[in-house]
Structure formats: C-alpha cells, structure tokens
Amino acid sequence: MYFEPYFLVKGKQIMRQKKKTIRRQMVKTTSSLICMAALMIGGIPSVKAASTEENGDGGVLTYEEADELLNETAGKSLSQIVLEYGVSNYSYDTIDLCGGNSHMQGICVDDEMEYLYFSYTSSLAKVDMKTGEVVGSVGGFGEGSFGTPGGAHLGDLAYYDGKIYGSLEYKEPGKKFFIAAFDEDNITETGMDIKDMPEGVDGILLKEPTEDFRDPLNDYEEIVAENTTETEKSDGFAENEQNLGHKFACSGIDGVAFGQMPGDDSGKTYLFVAYGIYGWEDRYDNNYNVIQVYDPDDFHTEESRGKCLRRFTYERGISSDVDVEGGEYLEACDTLYVWTGTTNYGCQNLDVDRDTGDLVLYTYENTKTGWTDKTLYVIDGEKEPVLEELEVGQSNTANDKEALEKAECYKIDTDDDGIVDAYPVVKHAVLKCICGNDCQEQEWSDTGKTAMICGAVIPGKATFGITSLDQGYYLVSNGETGADLYRRDENYNYTRMTVSAALEQAIADAENVEKTKYTEDSWEAVQHAAEEAEKLKDIQETEAKETMIKNSADAAEAIARINEALAQTNTESK
C-alpha cells in the first residue's frame, strides 16, 4: 500500500484555497515536493525552479501547469517520485560558509518545508530546500568569538511559528543557559554576526537549568577551596566538568522540541528543553533525563519583550549576572523526569514525532554497568505522566553514605515550617515498550528503584541532528555536515530510504495483497512486476553506489509497474 505524502496533499490544498496567489506559491510547493522526496536517497538534488526557457512565463508555474504536475505525481509512493526525478549526492557545504567550528548539532525545517536549518556549535545555517544552497547564516556564538574560555554551544533546534529556537550554552564564565530565538525573516545572507544584528536574534535565559548547573548542593566548601586562586575567589557555584555540586548532575541543556504534553488532548503546545547530564558513575542523582516544560505564552509574545525575551548579546552570555527583578529568567511551567539511567551528556537531540505525538530522546550510551545499552527512548504521547517520589539516591541498596548525604539536598519543605522533611513527588514520563518483548518493571542496579525501561538504537548520527517530517519520515544527520531521509516503523526502527529500500517496499506491497481478490491475468501481472523488481534490487545491492544512482530510473519504472498492476487488480476484481 502507498500513501499520499503530506507535502503533496498540502500542495493540492494550496492550489484549491489560494488561487489568487498561485504564481508565488506553486514554485515553492512543486520544487519543495521534488526536493523533499529526493532526500530519500541521501541528499538534496540540484533541482531548479521552472525557468524562462522551461515555461516561457518568467519561471513561474501557471495554475494549470502546477495542477498537471501534481496530478502526475498524485497516488505515487514517495519512493517512486524521488527515483523518477533522479538524485545527486549532496553534502551540505555549510561549515565553511556559515563559520561553524564543529560538527552538526541540530536540524529543523519550517512549516512550509521551504528551508532547512542546521546548527554547528557556533553558527546557524539556513538552506534552501529547492537548491541545497546555503542562503543565510548567523555566527559569532562559539569558542574564540568573545575571547572567553569555552565559548558557546548552539545545539538542538526546533521551529515554531516563524522562529527557529535552539539551545545555547555558556558554561564558562557565565554559567548560563539560553534558548536562542532566530526570526526566519532576518536571516537574509551568509556570514551574519549576532554582534552586528540589532534585531532578529533573541536570548531567553532559562531559570531551572541555570540554577541547577550552578547549585553546589552539599559541596560548597570544597568548590570554594578548589576554585579560589590568589587573584580571584570562587563564587561558590559548581564548575564545568567538576564533579562537585550540579543538581541532577546538570551539565547544561541540549535537546529542544515543541509539542503537546504527554496525555494532554487540549491541543496546547509547549517547549520542551532537555538537560545535559554528566555521566559520573559514582553519583545516584543523575539517573534521570530531566525535561523542563515552558509555555510559549510566556516568551513567544511581544508582551514578553524586555522581560525574558531580550536581544541576545555576548555580554549577556559571558556575564554571570541575572536581572531577576526585571524578569530576565523564564520559569518552567512543568518538569518531566525520564528514568533511563545515566545517558552521558543527557538527551542530545529531542524531537516530537508528528504522527504519534511521542517525545523521542536521542542519547549516547549509558555510562554505568547493569543498565540498558540503548540510545533511543520514546515517551508515550498518549499517556499522562505518573506521580512518584523523586529518586536521587535515598533508596540505594549499597548504603552509599555520600549518596545519602547528597540526596538530602533534594528534600523540600512540605508543611511550610522552614524544615525540609520529604522528597518531592514529581511527574515521571511513561516510556513506550518498542522492542516487542512486553518489557516489565525491574529494579535497576543498586538504586532501589523499580521501573520499566525500554529503548532502541538511534538511526545514523541522530545525536548530531534529527527532525520529524511526517508519515514516519525523518531527516537524520549522517555525520559532520550531511543529512539523509529515514522512515521508521511502529517500533521506532529506522530504515534509510535508499534505492534498494524503495524497491523493497514496493515488493512488500505486492506480497501483502490477497490473491483471491484478483483476476488471473492481473495477478500474473503483479507477480511478474514483483519478480522484475526483485532482480533489479539484487543488482542495486551489489553494484557500486554510482551505478545505483544511474539505474534509479529503472527502479522507478519497476515500482511504477507494480503500482500499475496493483491498481488494475483492484478495479477489475469484484
């Protein structure tokens, strides 16, 4: 069975509903359709919008031309469309163009599927999906930009209502954690620098990760002793990479995503921000992936301008000062705790699946023995979090004295008498069992806590960047600068959509039909088409990559024959 891709359906709706602006809209729609499909084989193709030579109308498709194009592709599988248009392996040449100084950190796409956005630690790149060209970039965030140790870290990205939001860390000397907010319309050229931009880049200072990173817990005196020099006294805050203090072993933030709260059917959208977590093996308070939840009504409005929504400047990043009275802090409206064990540096990329509403965490492996070795965890979008006591080492069965002492720092005052007397009851997110083995609760290591943990393995380099598109498709980083298209199954197993994968899917479609529903001639046509596709798939899997791409037109024809045969049997059979 095939489905009609989301962006194809969207294109048809645009044509029906916006005839008055069809000349402007359809170039974007048809070009993006071809480009998005082409991502299946591993890169953005060199696809041009219609030129003067192509249609004689100044490069703008008429309504009739656009309608004809979409009618030609309607009903075809996404695999078939990409193969018909051909593919060139395109690796995003963005690091040099946008000034990034490290590998890809995050990916997002706008709602019109017109531009892709990539973060590279110290810069943001804007890529035209029709051409694969870098059309804009913003830099000036990273190491060396401000002449300070450590510089900044621009991480995971998420798109929301005309803005690109990204996690932004200043671990030293500022010890502050922001959400950078880029206005898509202000990214107009490559080589832009935040220091020279009077508007278009805001910084939202997050209260919880900033305070949790700084929190000395019960290590204040040792922190001061370790970090006081002859010329400067320690401020008593926990220090980057130093195993002293740091509530929940917070190392900062990374994963960001917009979506609905698990189990909430109100339609309300929230911003989710995941902590980085130091993977220290001797700690018991770092077994959660902590996700702070923020309400866009508190920062994505002009009413928040001048409070938490302020123009970002390097002075704000490197200064440890916080304008608390002026409302500079954005406070979380909720927190989710995900019991996974210590995933070193926490959730690198966080994404909300557009089909299921699940929150998906992409992490590095657990640093402790006796835990799962998975790197992908799925929070069930349909299930409300479960209220349980926070577990930070107070139940450890090893009778670890240091852990018990540190756990005391997490107690709260429950009866307002000024005395901390109990551990808080917090929202534990419910993980999905995605392995097919009906996972049950079990006690994990010597924590004394019982929980169900299930996971999978990340596709490609998903810790470098991943974003959900629709209909099970994801754009996934394949390394330093590139990205490929993957499709997941219901258990979050991902398959890269290569030529062979497209053929395999078409063959599977043919095998899944019932013979009794077909006429003898049409059934024979299906079988013959499937056999020919199987032969071609064998060739694709044994030949060099260049040959695979060269023969993609043959694969498209084979898939078309299968689809044609299936359509005939459905109409002839009664």
Side-chain angles (χ1 to χ4, degrees):
M1 297 292 291
Y2 60 76
F3 60 85
E4 195 169 39
Y6 166 80
F7 24 91
L8 181 57
V9 175
K10 186 70 173 178
K12 288 183 175 180
Q13 291 174 344
I14 290 174
M15 287 193 298
R16 289 195 300 267
Q17 299 171 5
K18 298 186 177 181
K19 291 184 179 180
K20 292 182 180 180
T21 57
I22 194 69
R23 296 167 84 81
R24 178 175 60 88
Q25 291 289 344
M26 289 317 305
V27 170
K28 297 179 181 179
T29 303
T30 54
S31 300
S32 296
L33 165 67
I34 296 168
C35 180
M36 285 305 300
L39 284 164
M40 297 182 87
I41 298 183
I44 290 182
S46 299
V47 178
K48 297 187 296 181
S51 65
T52 304
E53 292 81 5
E54 290 165 338
N55 66 1
D57 190 26
V60 181
L61 293 178
T62 66
Y63 177 85
E64 290 75 16
E65 289 171 329
D67 193 34
E68 181 180 355
L69 175 59
L70 287 178
N71 283 335
E72 288 176 358
T73 57
K76 297 180 181 178
S77 69
L78 193 56
S79 304
Q80 187 176 339
I81 295 171
V82 60
L83 292 170
E84 287 180 347
Y85 283 105
V87 174
S88 62
N89 284 331
Y90 189 94
S91 182
Y92 311 108
D93 186 18
T94 49
I95 286 185
D96 290 339
L97 288 173
C98 70
N101 63 4
S102 187
H103 63 74
M104 186 185 295
Q105 301 285 349
I107 307 172
C108 71
V109 58
D110 65 27
D111 290 339
E112 298 299 324
M113 296 197 177
E114 185 176 2
Y115 294 103
L116 296 169
Y117 296 89
F118 300 89
S119 57
Y120 292 95
T121 307
S122 63
S123 63
L124 179 84
K126 181 178 183 178
V127 178
D128 188 326
M129 293 179 66
K130 298 185 294 294
T131 64
E133 296 180 2
V134 179
V135 297
S137 65
V138 180
F141 293 98
E143 183 174 356
S145 296
F146 310 138
T148 58
H153 182 284
L154 181 63
D156 192 16
L157 302 175
Y159 181 88
Y160 179 72
D161 191 27
K163 289 189 177 182
I164 302 91
Y165 289 90
S167 57
L168 179 60
E169 299 181 316
Y170 279 85
K171 295 186 179 183
E172 50 181 321
K175 303 175 185 176
K176 295 161 78 172
F177 302 91
F178 298 83
I179 292 294
F182 302 84
D183 189 318
E184 61 182 348
D185 294 331
N186 285 75
I187 306 174
T188 57
E189 58 185 289
T190 59
M192 301 178 76
D193 194 299
I194 59 170
K195 294 188 291 295
D196 302 323
M197 298 175 66
E199 60 182 5
V201 183
D202 294 313
I204 304 166
L205 182 59
L206 303 182
K207 182 176 188 290
E208 291 75 20
T210 298
E211 292 188 345
D212 287 351
F213 177 90
R214 295 178 172 189
D215 196 331
L217 298 175
N218 60 335
D219 298 320
Y220 176 81
E221 293 183 0
E222 192 171 353
I223 289 173
V224 172
E226 287 280 340
N227 299 288
T228 296
T229 66
E230 294 182 359
T231 59
E232 185 176 1
K233 183 179 180 180
S234 167
D235 55 14
F237 292 151
E239 296 287 338
N240 184 31
E241 298 291 340
Q242 194 174 77
N243 190 358
L244 296 170
H246 298 289
K247 194 172 185 179
F248 300 110
C250 176
S251 68
I253 57 174
D254 215 328
V256 297
F258 284 92
Q260 297 181 30
M261 278 287 287
D264 179 12
D265 58 2
S266 69
K268 171 74 175 176
T269 297
Y270 295 91
L271 169 64
F272 300 95
V273 181
Y275 279 12
I277 304 291
Y278 289 120
W280 297 317
E281 297 181 28
D282 62 339
R283 295 274 289 258
Y284 283 82
D285 58 345
N286 61 351
N287 290 319
Y288 287 107
N289 266 286
V290 179
I291 301 176
Q292 299 294 350
V293 185
Y294 299 92
D295 188 340
D297 291 342
D298 295 333
F299 63 85
H300 190 75
T301 63
E302 280 307 308
E303 287 75 18
S304 54
R305 173 71 59 188
K307 298 178 182 177
C308 67
L309 186 65
R310 305 183 181 194
R311 176 176 174 261
F312 185 77
T313 64
Y314 72 90
E315 289 88 359
R316 289 187 67 197
I318 63 176
S319 170
S320 61
D321 295 336
V322 178
D323 181 13
V324 177
E325 293 185 0
E328 184 179 8
Y329 266 146
L330 174 65
E331 295 191 30
C333 62
D334 217 332
T335 308
L336 294 175
Y337 295 85
V338 193
W339 184 263
T340 58
T342 306
T343 54
N344 199 24
Y345 291 107
C347 175
Q348 292 291 291
N349 268 250
L350 179 67
D351 206 54
V352 174
D353 187 280
R354 296 197 186 199
D355 301 314
T356 64
D358 296 335
L359 273 75
V360 189
L361 289 72
Y362 303 89
T363 74
Y364 296 132
E365 289 187 3
N366 206 297
T367 60
K368 301 176 182 178
T369 57
W371 293 76
T372 175
D373 60 354
K374 304 305 181 183
T375 52
L376 182 156
Y377 303 91
V378 180
I379 297 174
D380 196 325
E382 296 183 352
K383 295 184 178 180
E384 293 184 6
V386 177
L387 293 174
E388 294 179 352
E389 182 178 274
L390 183 71
E391 178 54 57
V392 285
Q394 72 271 24
S395 304
N396 84 84
T397 57
N399 196 30
D400 187 308
K401 182 179 179 181
E402 291 185 5
L404 293 173
E405 291 176 351
K406 195 169 293 295
E408 289 290 313
C409 299
Y410 290 85
K411 283 186 174 180
I412 61 173
D413 179 5
T414 59
D415 51 13
D416 296 325
D417 63 356
I419 301 175
V420 293
D421 53 17
Y423 293 98
V425 175
V426 298
K427 291 184 178 180
H428 286 68
V430 178
L431 290 177
K432 269 188 174 180
C433 176
I434 56 175
C435 69
N437 294 324
D438 190 24
C439 292
Q440 302 296 315
E441 291 187 351
Q442 67 178 77
E443 186 171 321
W444 292 96
S445 186
D446 58 358
T447 63
K449 181 172 177 59
T450 300
M452 191 283 285
I453 302 177
C454 184
V457 178
I458 63 169
K461 292 285 188 179
T463 51
F464 287 8
I466 184 168
T467 188
S468 172
L469 299 177
D470 213 337
Q471 302 287 359
Y473 286 94
Y474 280 75
L475 187 61
V476 184
S477 172
N478 61 22
E480 297 293 313
T481 63
D484 298 325
L485 197 72
Y486 283 71
R487 192 181 188 187
R488 64 156 182 82
D489 63 18
E490 61 183 5
N491 290 322
Y492 287 86
N493 298 306
Y494 293 75
T495 301
R496 181 170 174 258
M497 298 309 292
T498 60
V499 173
S500 294
L503 283 166
E504 187 174 343
Q505 181 62 55
I507 294 167
D509 291 343
E511 292 175 346
N512 289 333
V513 296
E514 297 180 23
K515 181 178 180 179
T516 55
K517 295 182 179 181
Y518 309 125
T519 65
E520 183 175 341
D521 289 343
S522 57
W523 176 254
E524 183 177 345
V526 170
Q527 297 306 303
H528 178 71
E531 289 172 3
E532 292 300 310
E534 185 70 49
K535 292 178 183 178
L536 186 56
K537 184 173 78 74
D538 292 340
I539 294 174
Q540 302 286 0
E541 291 176 346
T542 56
E543 296 290 341
K545 190 172 186 180
E546 290 76 11
T547 305
M548 289 172 60
I549 295 172
K550 183 176 65 177
N551 291 341
S552 63
D554 295 336
E557 185 177 349
I559 293 172
R561 284 196 295 268
I562 290 179
N563 285 346
E564 182 180 359
L566 288 173
Q568 289 176 349
T569 57
N570 288 332
T571 56
E572 293 176 7
S573 178
K574 301 295 182 182

